[in-house]
């Protein structure tokens, strides 16, 4: 999967997961409503409007190298052969748990 055709709910959710932000924090970072972010998780094939595409482009462009690497890994093919939505659901649960986010951030800081 690539961004040559623009962002989708799936790729927007992958950026959120790569940034390790909750729905609320990602929405705040982008300056959008939390329900918009939640909608991307519920409808992974949804193509956000052009204003959202630009916000996602900017967030990706401004992300550090570690975030970009995680994002690239998340959108790389092939994915695990899981039931529809299972991977996105797992990513959402992982990225929205503040304890897991804190632990992953600590690992990133100390892994060098």
């Amino acid at each position: 999967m690539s961004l040559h055709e623009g962002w989708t709910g799936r790729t927007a959710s992958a950026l959120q997961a790569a940034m390790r932000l909750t729905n609320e924090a990602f929405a705040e970072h982008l300056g959008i409503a939390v329900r918009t972010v939640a909608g991307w998780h519920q409808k992974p094939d949804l193509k956000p409007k052009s204003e959202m595409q630009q916000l996602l482009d900017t967030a990706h462009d401004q992300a550090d190298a570690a975030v970009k690497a995680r994002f690239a890994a998340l959108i790389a093919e092939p994915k695990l052969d899981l039931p529809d939505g299972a991977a996105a659901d797992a990513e959402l649960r992982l990225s929205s748990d503040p304890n897991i986010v804190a632990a992953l951030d600590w690992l990133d800081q100390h892994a060098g």
Side-chain angles (χ1 to χ4, degrees):
M1 177 185 303
S2 70
L3 293 177
H4 73 277
E5 293 181 19
W7 291 89
T8 63
R10 182 175 292 107
T11 54
S13 297
L15 180 61
Q16 176 189 358
M19 296 177 82
R20 297 182 175 153
L21 295 175
T22 63
N23 284 4
E24 293 79 9
F26 192 53
E28 184 177 330
H29 181 76
L30 296 174
I32 62 174
V34 175
R35 70 180 190 197
T36 301
V37 174
W40 293 336
H41 292 284
Q42 294 170 352
K43 298 177 184 175
D45 294 325
L46 175 79
K47 187 170 182 175
K49 294 183 180 182
S50 64
E51 302 85 32
M52 296 295 173
Q53 298 271 338
Q54 292 172 355
L55 292 172
L56 291 163
D57 283 341
T58 300
H60 180 266
D61 291 345
Q62 293 176 349
D64 65 31
V67 169
K68 288 179 181 178
R70 285 192 297 267
F71 175 73
L74 288 170
I75 66 167
E77 296 290 343
K79 293 278 187 181
L80 294 175
D81 189 20
L82 297 174
D84 287 345
D89 183 49
E91 288 175 18
L92 173 62
R93 285 182 284 152
L94 288 173
S95 65
S96 63
D97 184 319
N99 295 320
I100 292 174
V101 170
L104 292 173
D105 287 341
W106 184 90
L107 285 171
D108 278 347
Q109 291 172 1
H110 292 86

